């Protein structure tokens, strides 16, 4: 079976592009296909979210399988909120058997944010433990109990990092822990506060972490001033600086999306100047059709062909 | 202590509706300390219930008693005659006390008058905070005396998560981020190196996940 194309691109030193696809609230395959079709040629791999913000949606694993049928390489996102270690490991084995080669290990947003706040959570293990488990599968060939697996999943392992959450000094220690636990690539929270992002990268560089991992800078185009304000106020661990909100407010409503795109492109150009950044992760939330435009305008099109 | 809160009067009225002669049984230990089910609460609830029932045109006989601890035979025994003289017992103890009454007095229905909420502390006058889930394998030594299992909303052993901001938990701004507190305390204790350590997945067998727990103390068995 083939390995990860994302890994191939990153290891060959090329600047990678990943995008995000949120599965629908329902079993509509067409929605997945439509969203994915916008991303097909402009991303090297597409993350499929796992009941993101705790809203019940089609499973990430199933949506990944749909993407694969379309010739798109998926990144299976997995949160530890809803499944215990038994279910998680079982799904990883299933994913690998379907040909999925990338995984992003997360803890997940708390269920009280979501569509069913009355649910019980699991949190049997955390994202760090999950990273460790997936790496052990690959390196040692065993599951978490030490049982030798008949064909152990060999995933390309990713983790998220949020340079904008507190306590700031700890954010680099956490990155180091994730790398030590098994993370080979990192996708960051979306960047609006470039100053803080650069500080984080600097600290990571000083500790020799950037040599050990591929960091993909997260970006999300803003659609409106309202969205900027919402993200600043309501999304946990997110910083949107005041000057950006002002900038979004400064243009007429019908021009706001355009301005948001501009900001997004400027961010991409700026992170490309940072040698330790090996790619960009575009999270165009319910705006997948914009990704191609972003990738083209950023001069990142066409994407390298798989070898 | 075990912290609980008395159920709303309307719910209690519903629970005792089938009976015309009940005993309100208080407990003088934890629930007394948190003002949910001690002597004073028994008296207040009894008058409120009588009054409210009377307004509804219903007769109810209410006997009142508080024992030191409902979870021990030695004290519960003192309630035996009151219990046998009642159609049902409305216990203001924690869930353990209610079940002890049910177990020891098989013929009398035992009804809960309190919502048992958590093991916690009296943070300050009028404020109780949850501190322990009784996980059966205490790790406080490794986390600067702050329980990640209870106080972190995601039970993170390798926290904080990406939602921690300004010392608050992502769940809501009334909750302190346990991990911010752990880090602050590591700093104060000169234990910052602990922060870099990886904590492997927990063995939950000693927690409630392992099935009903019992503790045998051979040295106390007679
Ligand atoms: S580690 Fe377990 S026993 Fe110790 S305080 Fe936390 S829940 Fe209670
Ligand atoms: S914000 Fe802090 S307390 Fe809340 S879930 Fe995250 S680490 Fe735990």
């Amino acid at each position: 079976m083939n390995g990860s194309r994302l890994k191939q691109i990153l290891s060959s030193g090329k600047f990678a592009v990943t995008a995000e696809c949120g599965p629908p609230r329902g079993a509509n395959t067409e929605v997945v296909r439509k969203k994915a079709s916008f991303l097909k040629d402009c991303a090297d791999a597409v993350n499929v979210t796992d009941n993101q913000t705790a809203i019940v949606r089609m499973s990430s694993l199933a949506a990944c399988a749909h993407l694969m049928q379309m010739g798109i390489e998926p990144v299976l996102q997995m949160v530890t909120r809803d499944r215990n270690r038994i279910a998680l490991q079982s799904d990883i084995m299933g994913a690998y058997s379907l040909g999925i080669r990338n995984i992003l290990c997360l803890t997940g947003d708390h269920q009280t944010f979501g569509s069913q706040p009355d649910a019980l959570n699991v949190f049997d293990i955390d994202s760090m433990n999950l990273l460790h488990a997936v790496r052990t599968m690959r390196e040692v060939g065993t599951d978490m109990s030490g049982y030798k697996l008949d064909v152990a999943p060999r995933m390309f392992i990713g983790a998220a990092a949020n340079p904008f959450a507190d306590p700031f000094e700890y954010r680099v220690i956490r990155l180091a822990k994730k790398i030590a636990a098994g993370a080979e690539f990192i996708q960051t929270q979306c960047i609006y506060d470039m100053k803080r992002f650069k500080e984080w990268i600097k600290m990571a560089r000083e500790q020799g972490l950037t040599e050990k991992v591929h960091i993909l800078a997260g970006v999300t185009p803003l659609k409106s001033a309202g969205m900027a304000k919402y993200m600043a106020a309501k999304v946990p661990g997110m910083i949107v600086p005041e000057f950006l909100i002002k900038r979004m407010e400064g243009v007429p409503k019908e021009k706001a999306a355009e301005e948001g795109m501009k900001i997004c492109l400027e961010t991409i150009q700026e992170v490309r100047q940072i040698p330790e950044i090996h790619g960009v992760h575009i999270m165009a939330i319910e705006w997948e059709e914009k990704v191609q435009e972003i990738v083209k305008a950023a001069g990142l099109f066409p994407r390298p062909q798989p070898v | 202590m075990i912290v609980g809160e008395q159920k709303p009067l309307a719910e209690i009225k519903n629970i005792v509706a089938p009976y015309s002669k009940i005993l309100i049984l208080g407990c003088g230990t934890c629930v007394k300390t948190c003002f949910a089910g001690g002597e004073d609460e028994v008296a207040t609830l009894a008058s409120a219930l009588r009054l409210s029932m009377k307004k509804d045109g219903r007769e109810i006989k209410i006997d009142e008693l508080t024992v030191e601890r409902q979870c021990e035979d030695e004290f519960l025994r003192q309630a035996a005659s009151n219990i046998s003289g009642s159609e049902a017992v409305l216990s203001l103890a924690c869930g353990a006390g209610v079940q002890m009454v049910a177990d020891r007095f098989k013929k009398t229905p035992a009804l809960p008058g309190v919502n048992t909420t958590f093991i916690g502390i009296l943070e300050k006058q009028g404020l109780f905070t949850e501190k322990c889930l009784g996980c059966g394998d205490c790790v406080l030594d490794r986390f600067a005396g702050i329980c990640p299992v209870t106080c972190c909303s995601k039970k993170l052993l390798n926290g904080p998560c990406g939602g921690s901001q300004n010392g608050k938990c992502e769940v809501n701004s009334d909750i302190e981020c346990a991990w911010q507190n752990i880090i602050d305390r590591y700093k104060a204790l000169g234990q910052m190196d602990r922060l870099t350590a990886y904590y492997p997945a927990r063995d939950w067998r000693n927690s409630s996940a392992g099935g009903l727990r019992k503790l045998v103390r051979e040295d106390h068995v007679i």
Side-chain angles (χ1 to χ4, degrees):
Chain A
M1 277 201 240
N2 293 332
S4 158
R5 174 173 155 215
L6 179 62
K7 181 179 182 169
Q8 217 178 73
I9 288 174
L10 286 167
S11 328
S12 67
K14 294 195 182 93
F15 194 81
V17 175
T18 55
E20 188 172 283
C21 174
R25 295 180 77 170
N28 193 339
T29 317
E30 284 320 304
V31 175
V32 182
R33 290 182 164 272
K34 189 161 174 217
K35 281 186 171 189
S37 68
F38 295 128
L39 308 170
K40 184 168 167 43
D41 298 316
C42 51
D44 305 319
V46 172
N47 284 47
V48 182
T49 51
D50 181 5
N51 297 296
Q52 198 179 14
T53 60
I55 291 171
V56 180
R57 294 169 183 277
M58 181 192 290
S59 73
S60 173
L61 184 50
C64 281
H66 291 309
L67 261 57
M68 290 202 40
Q69 281 174 4
M70 297 171 68
I72 300 170
E73 178 166 305
V75 177
L76 175 74
Q77 292 200 181
M78 231 182 207
V79 302
T80 62
R81 175 193 59 224
D82 311 316
R83 281 165 290 181
N84 69 3
R85 66 189 81 180
I86 298 173
L88 289 166
Q89 293 172 93
S90 156
D91 280 350
I92 293 165
M93 293 173 203
Y96 193 77
S97 81
L98 289 169
I100 295 166
R101 293 294 176 264
N102 309 304
I103 184 170
L104 188 79
C105 302
L106 305 163
T107 301
D109 300 310
H110 199 265
Q111 79 280 0
T112 47
F113 290 111
S115 56
Q116 298 182 21
D118 46 347
L120 185 65
N121 58 37
V122 179
F123 299 122
D124 171 21
I125 61 175
D126 63 21
S127 59
M128 215 70 81
N129 303 143
L130 183 60
L131 285 166
H132 193 271
V134 188
R135 191 193 39 201
T136 306
M137 280 183 177
R138 193 186 62 205
E139 304 294 322
V140 188
T142 57
D143 67 12
M144 284 178 80
S145 73
Y147 180 85
K148 193 95 188 150
L149 299 169
D150 178 11
V151 182
R154 301 179 58 80
M155 292 283 191
F156 184 43
I157 308 167
N162 185 359
F164 311 108
D166 288 330
F168 182 61
E169 331 78 81
Y170 176 64
R171 292 295 140 190
V172 176
I173 300 178
R174 188 161 171 81
L175 176 68
K177 271 182 88 164
K178 285 196 172 175
I179 296 169
E184 297 162 284
F185 70 95
I186 296 286
Q187 291 169 320
T188 76
Q189 171 72 291
C190 34
I191 304 159
Y192 298 108
D193 187 345
M194 187 57 80
K195 196 167 154 256
R196 179 146 165 169
F197 182 72
K198 285 187 172 164
E199 248 169 76
W200 178 75
I201 285 287
K202 185 170 159 255
M203 286 166 77
R205 184 193 308 129
E206 284 166 0
Q207 294 188 24
L209 298 175
T210 49
E211 293 158 27
K212 296 185 191 154
V213 76
H214 301 290
I215 300 177
L216 282 72
V219 293
T220 292
L222 293 166
K223 283 184 195 172
S224 63
M227 176 178 172
K229 277 189 274 190
Y230 176 83
M231 286 185 126
K234 292 273 153 48
V235 179
M238 171 88 74
I239 301 178
V240 186
E242 197 49 43
F243 75 88
L244 273 188
I245 298 176
K246 288 243 164 65
R247 186 169 156 190
M248 288 299 287
E249 283 173 336
V251 296
K253 248 198 166 124
E254 65 282 3
K255 295 258 185 211
E258 207 177 292
E259 196 63 25
M261 287 284 284
K262 258 193 221 157
I263 295 171
C264 181
L265 287 168
E266 289 166 18
T267 309
I268 295 177
Q269 298 313 346
E270 205 160 348
V271 296
R272 282 178 77 184
Q273 305 304 313
I274 308 172
E276 291 83 3
I277 297 299
H278 296 175
V280 61
H281 178 50
I282 307 170
M283 295 166 275
I285 304 156
E286 296 303 321
W287 218 17
E288 285 85 355
E289 65 272 24
K290 279 281 168 191
V291 173
Q292 187 141 45
E293 201 181 316
I294 297 172
V295 175
K296 282 187 175 158
L300 292 167
F301 195 82
R303 300 307 310 148
Q305 286 310 301
V307 281
Chain B
M1 80 187 86
I2 293 174
V3 179
E5 191 182 17
Q6 213 174 86
K7 284 178 177 288
L9 188 63
E11 186 183 346
I12 292 181
K13 276 173 73 181
N14 267 332
I15 290 176
V16 302
Y19 312 103
S20 53
K21 195 167 179 234
I22 64 165
L23 166 69
I24 300 184
L25 185 60
C27 179
T29 307
C30 304
V31 288
K32 175 187 159 93
T33 318
C34 63
F35 314 107
E39 233 155 35
D40 293 352
E41 289 74 40
V42 169
T44 318
L45 176 65
S47 346
L49 207 53
R50 275 187 206 106
L51 208 69
S52 176
M53 291 292 207
K54 203 169 179 185
K55 262 197 197 151
D56 298 349
R58 281 205 48 206
E59 272 288 325
I60 185 162
K61 282 219 176 69
I62 302 177
D63 185 13
E64 304 167 34
L65 182 71
T66 297
V67 296
E68 186 67 28
R69 276 193 288 284
Q70 286 187 31
C71 54
E72 278 181 59
D73 275 321
E74 186 190 338
F75 302 107
L76 186 58
R77 219 174 278 134
Q78 297 159 8
S81 65
N82 302 64
I83 292 175
S84 56
S86 304
E87 289 170 24
V89 181
L90 179 71
S91 163
L92 296 191
C94 71
V98 183
Q99 292 183 65
M100 180 85 172
V101 174
D103 190 75
R104 298 300 194 256
F105 300 91
K106 303 238 186 292
K107 289 194 183 133
T108 314
L111 314 168
V114 161
N115 291 322
T116 307
T117 39
F118 52 75
I119 303 177
I121 58 162
L122 177 62
E123 186 93 51
K124 57 179 189 199
Q125 199 55 34
L127 176 67
F128 299 88
T129 312
E130 182 171 20
K131 289 291 175 191
C132 174
L133 282 175
C135 75
D137 185 8
C138 196
V139 293
L140 284 173
D141 56 319
R142 277 167 278 165
F143 297 94
I146 297 164
C147 175
V149 184
T150 311
C151 304
C152 167
S153 305
K154 298 180 188 171
K155 296 194 174 73
L156 299 180
L157 297 178
N158 296 282
C161 76
S164 174
Q165 219 163 30
N166 303 321
K168 300 295 180 193
C169 171
E170 69 168 35
V171 168
N172 84 48
S173 55
D174 289 339
I175 306 175
E176 289 176 19
C177 170
W179 270 96
Q180 177 76 58
N181 291 344
I182 290 172
I183 292 170
D184 291 348
R185 241 178 103 64
Y186 277 153
K187 258 187 217 158
L189 297 173
Q191 296 180 346
M192 279 302 270
D193 52 317
R194 285 200 188 265
L195 205 48
T196 48
Y198 167 75
Y199 290 97
R202 281 199 66 164
D203 178 346
W204 292 110
R205 274 174 289 191
N206 290 326
S207 79
S208 59
L212 184 69
R213 292 172 282 181
K214 284 191 183 183
L215 176 68
V216 183
R217 283 286 302 265
E218 298 290 358
D219 50 338
H220 284 252
V221 175
I222 2 175

mmCIF file of all heavy atoms in Angstrom, chain A residues 79-100:
data_model
loop_
_atom_site.group_PDB
_atom_site.id
_atom_site.type_symbol
_atom_site.label_atom_id
_atom_site.label_comp_id
_atom_site.label_asym_id
_atom_site.label_seq_id
_atom_site.Cartn_x
_atom_site.Cartn_y
_atom_site.Cartn_z
ATOM 1 N N VAL A 79 -10.577 13.136 17.625
ATOM 2 C CA VAL A 79 -10.590 13.736 18.955
ATOM 3 C C VAL A 79 -10.829 12.661 20.008
ATOM 4 O O VAL A 79 -11.468 11.642 19.737
ATOM 5 C CB VAL A 79 -11.661 14.846 19.092
ATOM 6 C CG1 VAL A 79 -11.442 15.942 18.075
ATOM 7 C CG2 VAL A 79 -13.066 14.289 18.992
ATOM 8 N N THR A 80 -10.302 12.913 21.203
ATOM 9 C CA THR A 80 -10.449 11.921 22.272
ATOM 10 C C THR A 80 -11.678 12.201 23.139
ATOM 11 O O THR A 80 -11.897 11.542 24.131
ATOM 12 C CB THR A 80 -9.195 11.897 23.173
ATOM 13 O OG1 THR A 80 -9.056 13.179 23.792
ATOM 14 C CG2 THR A 80 -7.950 11.590 22.381
ATOM 15 N N ARG A 81 -12.463 13.204 22.736
ATOM 16 C CA ARG A 81 -13.644 13.576 23.518
ATOM 17 C C ARG A 81 -14.736 12.498 23.505
ATOM 18 O O ARG A 81 -15.380 12.231 24.501
ATOM 19 C CB ARG A 81 -14.221 14.880 22.953
ATOM 20 C CG ARG A 81 -15.522 15.342 23.591
ATOM 21 C CD ARG A 81 -16.173 16.442 22.760
ATOM 22 N NE ARG A 81 -16.453 15.975 21.417
ATOM 23 C CZ ARG A 81 -16.213 16.670 20.312
ATOM 24 N NH1 ARG A 81 -15.713 17.870 20.367
ATOM 25 N NH2 ARG A 81 -16.475 16.151 19.134
ATOM 26 N N ASP A 82 -14.920 11.877 22.325
ATOM 27 C CA ASP A 82 -16.101 11.030 22.155
ATOM 28 C C ASP A 82 -15.847 9.528 22.212
ATOM 29 O O ASP A 82 -16.779 8.746 22.264
ATOM 30 C CB ASP A 82 -16.765 11.330 20.803
ATOM 31 C CG ASP A 82 -16.950 12.814 20.592
ATOM 32 O OD1 ASP A 82 -17.373 13.489 21.541
ATOM 33 O OD2 ASP A 82 -16.649 13.309 19.485
ATOM 34 N N ARG A 83 -14.590 9.139 22.101
ATOM 35 C CA ARG A 83 -14.302 7.711 22.048
ATOM 36 C C ARG A 83 -13.206 7.348 23.033
ATOM 37 O O ARG A 83 -12.238 8.107 23.184
ATOM 38 C CB ARG A 83 -13.853 7.322 20.632
ATOM 39 C CG ARG A 83 -15.014 7.190 19.670
ATOM 40 C CD ARG A 83 -14.527 7.169 18.251
ATOM 41 N NE ARG A 83 -14.030 8.477 17.884
ATOM 42 C CZ ARG A 83 -13.549 8.780 16.685
ATOM 43 N NH1 ARG A 83 -13.462 7.871 15.774
ATOM 44 N NH2 ARG A 83 -13.139 9.997 16.427
ATOM 45 N N ASN A 84 -13.335 6.193 23.642
ATOM 46 C CA ASN A 84 -12.271 5.759 24.541
ATOM 47 C C ASN A 84 -11.174 5.084 23.725
ATOM 48 O O ASN A 84 -11.260 4.990 22.508
ATOM 49 C CB ASN A 84 -12.822 4.863 25.657
ATOM 50 C CG ASN A 84 -13.296 3.512 25.133
ATOM 51 O OD1 ASN A 84 -13.177 3.200 23.947
ATOM 52 N ND2 ASN A 84 -13.842 2.705 26.011
ATOM 53 N N ARG A 85 -10.146 4.623 24.404
ATOM 54 C CA ARG A 85 -8.984 4.103 23.682
ATOM 55 C C ARG A 85 -9.335 2.881 22.837
ATOM 56 O O ARG A 85 -8.713 2.642 21.807
ATOM 57 C CB ARG A 85 -7.841 3.815 24.665
ATOM 58 C CG ARG A 85 -8.111 2.712 25.648
ATOM 59 C CD ARG A 85 -7.035 2.633 26.715
ATOM 60 N NE ARG A 85 -7.251 3.626 27.783
ATOM 61 C CZ ARG A 85 -6.460 3.772 28.833
ATOM 62 N NH1 ARG A 85 -5.389 3.021 28.964
ATOM 63 N NH2 ARG A 85 -6.732 4.667 29.764
ATOM 64 N N ILE A 86 -10.325 2.136 23.256
ATOM 65 C CA ILE A 86 -10.717 0.948 22.476
ATOM 66 C C ILE A 86 -11.258 1.386 21.113
ATOM 67 O O ILE A 86 -10.835 0.893 20.061
ATOM 68 C CB ILE A 86 -11.785 0.128 23.247
ATOM 69 C CG1 ILE A 86 -11.200 -0.378 24.577
ATOM 70 C CG2 ILE A 86 -12.305 -1.021 22.401
ATOM 71 C CD1 ILE A 86 -12.211 -1.047 25.500
ATOM 72 N N ALA A 87 -12.187 2.335 21.139
ATOM 73 C CA ALA A 87 -12.801 2.801 19.890
ATOM 74 C C ALA A 87 -11.787 3.539 19.016
ATOM 75 O O ALA A 87 -11.785 3.385 17.787
ATOM 76 C CB ALA A 87 -13.984 3.707 20.217
ATOM 77 N N LEU A 88 -10.928 4.339 19.632
ATOM 78 C CA LEU A 88 -9.951 5.113 18.859
ATOM 79 C C LEU A 88 -9.001 4.190 18.098
ATOM 80 O O LEU A 88 -8.797 4.337 16.895
ATOM 81 C CB LEU A 88 -9.150 6.036 19.784
ATOM 82 C CG LEU A 88 -9.908 7.227 20.383
ATOM 83 C CD1 LEU A 88 -9.123 7.841 21.534
ATOM 84 C CD2 LEU A 88 -10.193 8.288 19.323
ATOM 85 N N GLN A 89 -8.448 3.212 18.805
ATOM 86 C CA GLN A 89 -7.487 2.318 18.154
ATOM 87 C C GLN A 89 -8.164 1.515 17.049
ATOM 88 O O GLN A 89 -7.603 1.303 15.974
ATOM 89 C CB GLN A 89 -6.860 1.376 19.184
ATOM 90 C CG GLN A 89 -5.975 2.088 20.182
ATOM 91 C CD GLN A 89 -5.538 1.158 21.307
ATOM 92 O OE1 GLN A 89 -4.485 0.548 21.240
ATOM 93 N NE2 GLN A 89 -6.364 1.026 22.322
ATOM 94 N N SER A 90 -9.378 1.096 17.329
ATOM 95 C CA SER A 90 -10.122 0.328 16.347
ATOM 96 C C SER A 90 -10.358 1.150 15.081
ATOM 97 O O SER A 90 -10.194 0.656 13.953
ATOM 98 C CB SER A 90 -11.435 -0.126 16.996
ATOM 99 O OG SER A 90 -12.410 -0.385 16.045
ATOM 100 N N ASP A 91 -10.720 2.416 15.252
ATOM 101 C CA ASP A 91 -10.940 3.281 14.088
ATOM 102 C C ASP A 91 -9.643 3.563 13.333
ATOM 103 O O ASP A 91 -9.653 3.714 12.113
ATOM 104 C CB ASP A 91 -11.593 4.603 14.525
ATOM 105 C CG ASP A 91 -13.095 4.445 14.729
ATOM 106 O OD1 ASP A 91 -13.635 3.382 14.352
ATOM 107 O OD2 ASP A 91 -13.723 5.381 15.261
ATOM 108 N N ILE A 92 -8.533 3.644 14.052
ATOM 109 C CA ILE A 92 -7.247 3.872 13.371
ATOM 110 C C ILE A 92 -6.909 2.661 12.494
ATOM 111 O O ILE A 92 -6.469 2.796 11.354
ATOM 112 C CB ILE A 92 -6.133 4.149 14.400
ATOM 113 C CG1 ILE A 92 -6.397 5.488 15.091
ATOM 114 C CG2 ILE A 92 -4.765 4.160 13.724
ATOM 115 C CD1 ILE A 92 -5.586 5.714 16.350
ATOM 116 N N MET A 93 -7.149 1.483 13.030
ATOM 117 C CA MET A 93 -6.900 0.267 12.231
ATOM 118 C C MET A 93 -7.809 0.247 11.008
ATOM 119 O O MET A 93 -7.383 -0.043 9.890
ATOM 120 C CB MET A 93 -7.140 -0.982 13.082
ATOM 121 C CG MET A 93 -6.133 -1.154 14.198
ATOM 122 S SD MET A 93 -6.626 -2.524 15.267
ATOM 123 C CE MET A 93 -5.784 -2.083 16.771
ATOM 124 N N GLY A 94 -9.075 0.586 11.226
ATOM 125 C CA GLY A 94 -10.029 0.625 10.116
ATOM 126 C C GLY A 94 -9.615 1.646 9.077
ATOM 127 O O GLY A 94 -9.663 1.380 7.868
ATOM 128 N N ALA A 95 -9.191 2.818 9.538
ATOM 129 C CA ALA A 95 -8.781 3.883 8.619
ATOM 130 C C ALA A 95 -7.603 3.427 7.773
ATOM 131 O O ALA A 95 -7.585 3.614 6.557
ATOM 132 C CB ALA A 95 -8.415 5.138 9.417
ATOM 133 N N TYR A 96 -6.648 2.802 8.423
ATOM 134 C CA TYR A 96 -5.464 2.360 7.681
ATOM 135 C C TYR A 96 -5.831 1.305 6.643
ATOM 136 O O TYR A 96 -5.329 1.308 5.524
ATOM 137 C CB TYR A 96 -4.400 1.829 8.652
ATOM 138 C CG TYR A 96 -3.064 1.646 7.986
ATOM 139 C CD1 TYR A 96 -2.249 2.740 7.713
ATOM 140 C CD2 TYR A 96 -2.619 0.379 7.594
ATOM 141 C CE1 TYR A 96 -1.027 2.595 7.080
ATOM 142 C CE2 TYR A 96 -1.397 0.213 6.957
ATOM 143 C CZ TYR A 96 -0.614 1.323 6.702
ATOM 144 O OH TYR A 96 0.597 1.171 6.062
ATOM 145 N N SER A 97 -6.746 0.417 7.042
ATOM 146 C CA SER A 97 -7.158 -0.633 6.111
ATOM 147 C C SER A 97 -7.856 -0.041 4.891
ATOM 148 O O SER A 97 -7.860 -0.624 3.813
ATOM 149 C CB SER A 97 -8.058 -1.655 6.809
ATOM 150 O OG SER A 97 -9.381 -1.147 6.878
ATOM 151 N N LEU A 98 -8.463 1.135 5.043
ATOM 152 C CA LEU A 98 -9.118 1.803 3.918
ATOM 153 C C LEU A 98 -8.134 2.610 3.075
ATOM 154 O O LEU A 98 -8.505 3.173 2.059
ATOM 155 C CB LEU A 98 -10.222 2.741 4.423
ATOM 156 C CG LEU A 98 -11.484 2.088 5.000
ATOM 157 C CD1 LEU A 98 -12.342 3.122 5.704
ATOM 158 C CD2 LEU A 98 -12.282 1.395 3.903
ATOM 159 N N GLY A 99 -6.904 2.702 3.536
ATOM 160 C CA GLY A 99 -5.892 3.424 2.766
ATOM 161 C C GLY A 99 -5.575 4.812 3.300
ATOM 162 O O GLY A 99 -4.826 5.568 2.693
ATOM 163 N N ILE A 100 -6.152 5.184 4.437
ATOM 164 C CA ILE A 100 -5.877 6.496 5.030
ATOM 165 C C ILE A 100 -4.487 6.461 5.673
ATOM 166 O O ILE A 100 -4.159 5.528 6.398
ATOM 167 C CB ILE A 100 -6.975 6.856 6.055
ATOM 168 C CG1 ILE A 100 -8.308 7.026 5.319
ATOM 169 C CG2 ILE A 100 -6.615 8.121 6.836
ATOM 170 C CD1 ILE A 100 -9.522 7.058 6.219
#
